[in-house]
Amino acid sequence: MAGKEGSGMVVRYAGRLGVVASVALNLAALALYIRRRFFGGSGSGDGGGGREIATVEPSKGKPLVTPDSVVNLDHGDPTMYEAFWRETGDRATIVIPGCQTMSYFSDVGGFCWFLEPGFEREVRRLHRLVGNAVVDGYHVLVGTGSTQLFQAALYALSPATDGAPMSVVSPAPYYSSYPAVTNFLNSGLYRWAGDANTFDGDTCIELVCSPNNPDGGIRKAVIESKSGKAIHDFAYYWPQYTPITEAAGHDIMLFTVSKCTGHAGTRLGWALVKDREVAQKMIKFIELNTIGVSKDSQLRAAKILGAVCDGYETSLDGEASRLFHFARQQMMERWSKLRAAVAASDIFTLPNELSNYCTFVKETITTNPPFAWLRCEKEGVKDLEGFLREHKIITRGGTKFGVDGRFVRVSMLDTDEAFNVFMDRLASLK
Ligand SMILES: Cc1ncc(COP(=O)(O)O)c(C=O)c1O
């Protein structure tokens, strides 16, 4: 009996071994096929044909933060979303074989020759999902970050006459890059003219940033009636930062993957532009500036935006695959810690918390701005940036945003390590 059972086990075991061996062989054959098909190696093991696949490691980015190190919260570097993308695995991964994306052109004969149709499709799909912007009747343009599109829009809106440069304004506190980028090349077409609230010229381009960098305010154009020329910077009009209250439908609207999904390194932004002629001028600017926009980046961004939409439309993983829900939860936790720390301090204040009904999450929610706009009430501290630097916290001072030095802007989008060190240091300041 025992012997029979024993021999039966041997047969079953041998049978299983056979199945395992056959699966292993099939997998090895598949790996070989993929290697040959996509990477061109012969796969013979060594010598002439057997080439190793060279991998290129991405850079590590920023130095690690320790409890004693300087913590740099000057830039809005959105590394806090890494935790979400680490969990998505292949759903947001692309492989680009060496023979692809070689041409300059993406859509010869299309409205924008360097726009990847797949990227445009996902942009329109995402806006329809979130409901934050109208896409029907709009041209979609792509840029190397929304920073390039911002410059393209300035070029397109400035009259090409010999007259004085067009004034460019935004209400203070305004995003510190606006004056820097506007004046960088000393253009004869446009020039930074400061705070929109005190502008008294006849015509200008107004930059409307909403939610506003640096203070998180919800904004409308303040001098629309005078100029009629506005660029709406909607880098942060996404549900993790603010309630979505309407599908915006302005003439020029700028968005960026940097702050939407956290992929700042992909350097990709897009514009929704109503007027055909304005859109054509913006395309011309990008054509002369960089001869189009990286196709590799567009394909990656298309995959990522597609993964965000799939997370809501088709995924069975629930909350784990919903980027905006994940990101909003993270932001809420950070803001509640920051508000508690500021309330416990005698020397700092923050703008009041705002809330509104969000048509995307279908409930009333608070805003979670991407930056803390911190004010110091302590007697004698007129340079808060310098004061915090002495405590090894790097921030950006109010003067760069057109207001006084008692304010600083602090990024809320950095790693957990950096944010936690910031919280500990803030609590120790008296
Ligand atoms: C309001 C605003 N607009 C635009 C940008 C730039 O975005 P991109 O990375 O797409 O150039 C930033 C980046 O911090 C920003 O805060």
Side-chain angles (χ1 to χ4, degrees), residues 145-147 175 178 209 213 233 235-236 256 258-259 267-269 371:
S146 66
T147 301
Y175 175 33
Y178 291 159
C209 184
N213 174 357
D233 185 342
Y236 303 103
T256 168
S258 304
K259 315 299 169 148
R267 304 303 308 122
L268 217 69
F371 298 99

Side-chain angles (χ1 to χ4, degrees), residues 373-413:
W373 186 233
L374 206 58
R375 185 176 197 273
C376 188
E377 310 292 337
K378 187 178 162 120
E379 196 66 23
V381 178
K382 298 227 160 38
D383 170 19
L384 180 55
E385 181 186 330
F387 175 74
L388 291 174
R389 199 184 310 112
E390 284 168 23
H391 296 87
K392 299 198 283 189
I393 305 169
I394 310 296
T395 60
R396 196 172 295 183
T399 54
K400 299 189 181 84
F401 302 91
V403 297
D404 73 68
R406 257 188 295 255
F407 287 92
V408 291
R409 188 195 79 170
V410 188
S411 171
M412 294 291 283
L413 304 177

